[in-house]
Amino acid sequence: MTSLLELEHVTKRFGRVVIAEDLSFAVGAGDVVGIVGPNGAGKTSLFGLISGDLAPDAGQVRFAGRNVTRLDPADRCRLGVGRTYQVPRPFADMTVFENLLVAAQQGAGLRRRASYAAAVAALERTGMSSQGNVPAERLGLLQRKRLELARALATQPTLLLLDEVAGGLTDPEVAQLVEIVRGVNADGIAVIWIEHVVRALTAVVSRLICLAGGTFVGDGEPTAVLAEPAVREVFLGTDVTAALAGGTLETTSAADAEREPS
Amino acid sequence: MSLATDTSVPISADFHVTRSRQNVAWTGLGALVVVVVLALFPYIVYSGTTAILVQAFIVLTLASMWNLMAGYAGLVSVGQQGFVGLGAYFVLILALHGLSPFAALPVAAIGCGVVALPLWWLVSRLRSGYFAIATWVLAAAIMLFIERFQSLGGGTGLPLPGFTGMNPTLITAYTYWVGLAVTAAAMLAVYVLLRGRLGLVLTAVRDDEVAARSSGARVGLARLIVFVVAGIGCAAAGGVLAISQLQVQPTAVFSVQWTAEMAFATIIGGLGTIEGPIIGTAVYMVLQQTLASYNAWYLIILGLVAIVVALFARRGLWGLVDERLHLRLFPVGYWLRTGAGNGRPRSLRN
């Protein structure tokens, strides 16, 4: 089976800052892949390279059998790449429902009735049904993150890119989110999920990638990757390796540092 | 108006989507009444008043077009006077070939829409300040190009032919009606554009261009359409200008003052709203009429008003109205109704 998404020797630098150094990896249709890494590792930039917000200096991005390296974000979205932004970017002066309509009409290419139904479906799936007519600017941070997810879903993607949608959520909310992602994946949508809240990732993903300094330092089965010394070193710092000996993933300091006050 | 209906599209048993929270029929009816009353003005007011209103029509048309560009598509043009001038000259050229200036106006406007296509190709890659300067340069280049033609009066221009034998009162009335028609058409075009599929894209681009792109919106195409529509609108206003002044003079029709006026009216009224340019034009015309005799003071007060509005009413005067009354004269949004009970939580919408 051919891969849904393929990155081949993708390199991106901003001056001396290396964002991606000769990255190659493939994601199959229906896969769920988690990405972890310290701040500044190039995680969000990797999403930019996949979604088209960033153009690589070298290498190729292939999606659904097509070379999409030169396609802009709108065209990649229409092919099936849906993404969320770590810092939510709602259409502030539009209602939640209108936000989703943009995605359903433009990203999924749906007309009137069908676009309304797709927007309503995205509202229901993300538990935002009661907020359809709320102007996006009135939403709190957590609701904005939820809107990001709903809008990406409304584009009816085959690949969903989630950028830290669990940060700041309580445990029951994380569980709820995990259920949403499971449901999305059950529909055959591939998911790549960047997250500091590792317990959310390990609940869903079958594969974990650790990114640091624009290169992969680990890739494989989640518990195995998190146990690798190289991963522990970049992700947690050398001194906490001993603290992690028990293997509890909850102790990741990065996860706590990321939690926003709510 | 066929648009003035509150169409309801059922999704399932539980969902209905209406095009507005308010009843759009009242908007259509109100707009129709205003246009009809304005159309009767030549019979009931002095020609001095209609002349001022023709000026207001020109400013309102220009402001609506500039609002579409700067307020929605993120295109801050300082060169719209290029289209004002082109529109005026196209009317002049057609009139010199024997066409009535009134009949020439729509042809000239469409012609300028065609000219807008290659001009867009020249400036489409530029953004923000670079786009502004490039459009200004283009407008200046178009003026210099047209001044090369001695048959069009070179640097001094020509009187507009085609009015010989017409009753002056009739000319005044026709000019007024043409101005009113152009403005009504421009406002209707903006409303239809923003209410449609493209309107949703433009509103999204206004709020967040990056997110709009990654939601599948083809921003470049939306911008091209806006640029062409604004070109047509500004050219039509230029045609009205030529007819109302009975002459075409290059430095007057290509004056950057036109862009200053449209930007002023839009910004003090409220950028990115359909209502803003209307309020802004009203304020601008009142200031102009009451202060015109004070020369320099007029400009100083105009500048002060712009500064005060920019500082204390960031969303323009219409923004102040909207915040307090939650009012939309031209509703373009979508309203989701769920089940039977969930009606209209008024407080939630802006």
Side-chain angles (χ1 to χ4, degrees), chain B residues 263-335:
Chain B
F264 178 86
T266 307
I267 291 166
I268 65 165
L271 197 64
T273 63
I274 302 178
E275 296 87 351
I278 302 174
I279 306 275
T281 302
V283 170
Y284 174 74
M285 290 309 294
V286 167
L287 286 176
Q288 194 208 45
Q289 291 305 313
T290 49
L291 303 170
S293 52
Y294 296 96
N295 290 323
W297 278 106
Y298 159 58
L299 291 172
I300 289 168
I301 291 174
L302 220 53
L304 282 175
V305 168
I307 291 168
V308 168
V309 170
L311 285 178
F312 299 107
R314 298 295 302 269
R315 299 172 68 189
L317 295 175
W318 182 256
L320 293 180
V321 175
D322 189 32
E323 274 169 28
R324 281 165 182 70
L325 303 175
H326 311 300
L327 191 67
R328 288 283 149 81
L329 292 182
F330 300 93
V332 293
Y334 295 77
W335 196 252

Side-chain angles (χ1 to χ4, degrees), chain A residues 2-95:
Chain A
T2 57
S3 300
L4 180 66
L5 173 76
E6 285 173 274
L7 264 65
E8 291 166 7
H9 308 291
V10 169
T11 296
K12 177 74 182 174
R13 294 190 191 90
F14 288 123
R16 280 197 204 155
V17 182
V18 179
I19 300 297
E21 182 68 47
D22 196 28
L23 287 185
S24 296
F25 81 112
V27 174
D31 285 359
V32 187
V33 180
I35 295 182
V36 292
N39 290 328
K43 303 187 295 294
T44 296
S45 301
L46 178 64
F47 272 10
L49 290 164
I50 298 171
S51 72
D53 287 330
L54 289 178
D57 299 332
Q60 211 182 65
V61 181
R62 300 181 63 80
F63 183 75
R66 283 184 58 173
N67 181 0
V68 298
T69 316
R70 293 186 180 282
L71 289 189
D72 74 355
D75 286 330
R76 292 195 203 187
C77 175
R78 283 163 186 240
L79 283 176
V81 180
R83 79 164 289 181
T84 69
Y85 287 93
Q86 183 181 359
V87 178
R89 312 189 69 128
F91 305 129
D93 251 5
M94 302 168 87
T95 66

Side-chain angles (χ1 to χ4, degrees), chain B residues 21 27-28 30 38 46 129 199 215 232 244 270 276 302 329 336 339:
Chain B
R21 184 186 49 164
T27 300
L38 282 174
Y46 292 110
S215 298
I232 293 172
S244 69
L302 220 53
L329 292 182
L336 180 65

Side-chain angles (χ1 to χ4, degrees), chain A residues 173-198:
Chain A
E173 285 167 340
V174 169
Q176 205 183 11
L177 181 66
V178 164
E179 278 316 302
I180 293 171
V181 175
R182 277 209 184 105
V184 166
N185 181 240
D187 289 350
I189 299 169
V191 179
I192 306 180
W193 190 353
I194 294 174
E195 196 57 73
H196 279 299
V197 184
V198 179

